[in-house]
Amino acid sequence: MGGIEKEVKGTAKEAMGKTREEVGKAAGRPGLEARGKAEKEAGKAVKEMGKVEEKVKRELK
């Protein structure tokens, strides 16, 4: 999986995590909210890894 694909997957995971977090807040379910926060942060990390990979790829050309 290349950098751009990681950016897209990370963005999707981040969005799903945010949605899950908000649903957990609204429903009063702290476990769901926490899981959403964790998923959101994991998505951010994957997205950043993709950005770094793309930058490295451009620098090596």
Side-chain angles (χ1 to χ4, degrees):
M1 176 171 27
I4 292 174
E5 289 88 0
K6 280 185 182 172
E7 285 184 63
V8 170
K9 285 187 181 218
T11 299
K13 187 173 187 112
E14 186 178 356
M16 285 298 299
K18 179 142 181 70
T19 301
R20 196 169 270 135
E21 179 184 5
E22 294 300 321
V23 168
K25 270 186 203 176
R29 295 180 55 195
L32 182 60
E33 183 180 347
R35 196 168 93 208
K37 282 182 183 179
E39 187 175 7
K40 181 174 72 174
E41 292 304 315
K44 285 181 183 179
V46 171
K47 184 169 65 172
E48 288 303 312
M49 284 182 358
K51 287 179 181 179
V52 169
E53 284 182 13
E54 283 301 307
K55 185 173 183 173
V56 168
K57 190 193 292 185
R58 283 192 304 267
E59 293 293 321
L60 292 176
K61 283 186 178 182

